[in-house]
Amino acid sequence: MGTDGKTGTVLEVGKVAIIKYEKVDKFKTSVFYNVYKNAFDITQEIINDNQIYQQNYSQNTNGTNLRNSEQIYNIIFFTGDRGAGKTSAMLSYMEFLKDYYRNANNPNKDIGELVFSRRDIMFTGLEYIDASSLTSKEDILGSVLSKMLKKWKDEEKRSYGERGIRREDDYTYKKRQIHMRFNEVYENVKKLRSTKDVMETESDMFMETLESMSITWNLQQSFQHLVKEYLDVMEYPGSEKQIGRGNHFLVISIDDLDMNVESGFELMEQIRRYLMGPNVLVLLSANYEQLEKICYNYYISKFEKAMKHSDMDTYCMRLSRDYLEKIIPVQRQVVLYSGGAWDYFGSKPLTIQYKMGETDSGPTEELLV
């Protein structure tokens, strides 16, 4: 979807594919342009919130200001009907973020209006997580940790000259630190999943035992520490003087969360508990109504014994809506519509471009609508 812009908006029809990635130079003429622009504006807000937090943190601000700045709504929620293109739009936008630092600082690259308030912003993106395919033994946090480790190892292997991550004198120290952070998260995950009581598994060192009893908080903190060390080590040659903890973000993409009916609520809880923190950007795609039903079914199951009360059904529906509003408020939603509802059909010229070749430069046939 998208072309050189001579005929306005263009819908490209090519080979059948589950996901259609759009390049940034085609965003301007894409039928998804408003989607990308909306996601971009939300990202700018999240960047601003992170900068306020980093400023307060570096200045040792305490009390109300610090507590307020810690609450970062870092989820961009791509929602719409089935087949509206949520996955393609979300992953195309993720690729835009991953390439942003290089493209924004390349005078020969035109990224249109999608330039953040500062060009020295870097996004390290992980391979996306297909939530619909996760089994009962898998979860969001485990998938994120696995993909973080894999990306680091892959970048380390291909490090040479201007490729891969920067490996200079301080790399050995950074590597040791990140190993330690991964280990801390791993130990906290083990405690969280263990069926044994912490009091039984710990030693007689009562101070350490008491500290270990706040498992969820410890895991949240250890993951945030890991993210900081991880972004420090994922530096690329030439960027070390411009990129630091104040302008480097980890991008986590989660697709089709609504299709995991069995564990959807638990997966959302992991996002809320562990991934909503500084220097993290979460791209999430799902149908809002389906998520609402998943939450409703969860609360209904928990209040099963109280269902004899006539207003319990309404109460569970209200809980579901309040829960989703807490995680993905309307200000963080990017809504996609199916083809019949595109505003281009009524207000803007649209060219349907049929791709006949295997590549973007291949022969085409055009139909102006």
Side-chain angles (χ1 to χ4, degrees), residues 1-140:
M1 287 168 280
T3 187
D4 57 9
K6 294 179 181 179
T7 55
T9 303
V10 173
L11 172 63
E12 290 182 358
V13 181
K15 68 176 184 178
V16 177
I18 297 175
I19 301 173
K20 169 66 176 179
Y21 289 89
E22 289 193 289
K23 298 179 180 178
V24 64
D25 56 5
K26 294 191 175 184
F27 278 13
K28 189 180 296 184
T29 55
S30 170
V31 293
F32 287 151
Y33 176 74
N34 289 337
V35 172
Y36 299 135
K37 184 63 169 64
N38 193 1
F40 172 85
D41 291 340
I42 295 173
T43 305
Q44 181 65 73
E45 292 179 15
I46 296 172
I47 290 172
N48 294 342
D49 290 344
N50 272 272
Q51 290 176 342
I52 293 172
Y53 166 76
Q54 294 292 346
Q55 185 178 27
N56 287 334
Y57 185 82
S58 63
Q59 294 176 353
N60 294 320
T61 303
N62 52 32
T64 304
N65 288 337
L66 182 61
R67 294 303 180 192
N68 285 334
S69 64
E70 285 176 337
Q71 301 178 57
I72 299 175
Y73 277 82
N74 63 339
I75 299 175
I76 302 179
F77 181 51
F78 294 78
T79 187
D81 295 334
R82 184 64 48 194
K86 298 185 295 295
T87 300
S88 296
M90 180 184 74
L91 296 184
S92 294
Y93 185 69
M94 182 187 70
E95 292 300 316
F96 158 75
L97 292 177
K98 288 166 60 178
D99 295 334
Y100 176 78
Y101 177 78
R102 181 171 64 251
N103 290 337
N105 293 279
N106 183 352
N108 298 318
K109 192 70 175 181
D110 180 19
I111 58 177
E113 300 176 344
L114 304 184
V115 180
F116 295 113
S117 58
R118 50 190 296 184
R119 292 178 180 267
D120 59 339
I121 299 284
M122 181 173 286
F123 301 89
T124 295
L126 306 178
E127 282 295 316
Y128 81 97
I129 298 169
D130 183 357
S132 66
S133 66
L134 297 180
T135 68
S136 59
K137 294 184 178 181
E138 298 175 298
D139 57 32
I140 293 294

Side-chain angles (χ1 to χ4, degrees), residues 224-276:
Q224 289 185 9
H225 292 153
L226 170 61
V227 169
K228 291 179 182 179
E229 302 293 344
Y230 185 80
L231 293 176
D232 278 351
V233 83
M234 296 299 287
E235 287 182 348
Y236 298 92
S239 67
E240 61 273 10
K241 293 182 179 180
Q242 291 183 300
I243 302 301
R245 291 181 178 178
N247 57 353
H248 195 176
F249 296 83
L250 178 68
V251 184
I252 300 169
S253 321
I254 304 168
D255 186 37
D256 279 343
L257 183 63
D258 58 316
M259 297 300 288
N260 195 321
V261 179
E262 187 69 26
S263 306
F265 186 86
E266 288 77 10
L267 297 179
M268 280 190 286
E269 271 293 88
Q270 285 207 330
I271 296 172
R272 182 183 69 86
R273 291 174 182 172
Y274 309 120
L275 305 187
M276 295 182 70

